[in-house]
Amino acid sequence: MNNTQHIYDSLYQSAIDQGWACWGGDDRIHQGLSQLERIISPSFVPKSGYVLELGCGEGHLCRLFSSCGYDVTGVDISAVAISWANDKEQHHHSNIRYLQADLAKANFELNTSFDLIIDGNCPRIQL
């Protein structure tokens, strides 16, 4: 486990321990629908297809995209976040694919093409 993953694992575990609905507090969940609308409202954004969310955390935005009919993959560096997302997936039955990976690693690769890629909450990566 690298140091960055350890930091995010700790932050997500703290959110779980505090009983939050997601990292950043419960208000973040309530802002999800307006965030989704801002993303998909422009005419150039596909209204269906494959979505990749980078920095998906526990998957709240992934679940919103899935509820609109998108086929969704979420990626996060935190194993705790991905576990939390998978736990929530069991209750929502939305068939989202969650992957734990460090996007800053050169060997990260997905053998899928996506119609829409969004940055859910990734820090700036310095290479």
Side-chain angles (χ1 to χ4, degrees), residues 31-45 47 61 65:
Q31 297 170 6
L33 282 175
S34 63
Q35 183 181 12
L36 177 69
E37 285 179 12
R38 282 193 313 273
I39 295 169
I40 65 173
S41 64
S43 61
F44 60 84
V45 175
K47 303 307 179 213
L61 193 54
F65 271 97

Side-chain angles (χ1 to χ4, degrees), residues 2-125:
N2 67 39
N3 188 38
T4 304
Q5 180 185 346
H6 176 72
I7 292 167
Y8 284 100
D9 282 347
S10 296
L11 289 169
Y12 278 102
Q13 190 59 57
S14 176
I16 292 168
D17 293 346
Q18 293 178 64
W20 291 354
C22 71
W23 179 30
D26 294 346
D27 288 341
R28 194 161 183 197
I29 288 286
H30 301 299
Q31 297 170 6
L33 282 175
S34 63
Q35 183 181 12
L36 177 69
E37 285 179 12
R38 282 193 313 273
I39 295 169
I40 65 173
S41 64
S43 61
F44 60 84
V45 175
K47 303 307 179 213
S48 64
Y50 294 91
V51 172
L52 172 63
E53 182 185 2
L54 306 173
C56 69
E58 52 65 58
H60 72 281
L61 193 54
C62 287
R63 288 187 300 279
L64 290 172
F65 271 97
S66 179
S67 71
C68 291
Y70 292 90
D71 186 342
V72 183
T73 299
V75 180
D76 201 281
I77 192 171
S78 170
V80 173
I82 294 300
S83 176
W84 195 8
N86 282 318
D87 288 347
K88 288 184 174 193
E89 179 65 17
Q90 292 178 0
H91 295 92
H92 290 90
H93 309 290
S94 52
N95 202 26
I96 299 167
R97 184 175 105 173
Y98 292 107
L99 304 170
Q100 188 274 323
D102 185 345
L103 300 171
K105 300 284 185 192
N107 63 352
F108 175 74
E109 186 175 318
L110 290 170
N111 295 322
T112 306
S113 62
F114 294 92
D115 301 297
L116 179 63
I117 300 173
I118 58 170
D119 176 351
N121 198 25
C122 290
R124 284 178 69 185
I125 298 172

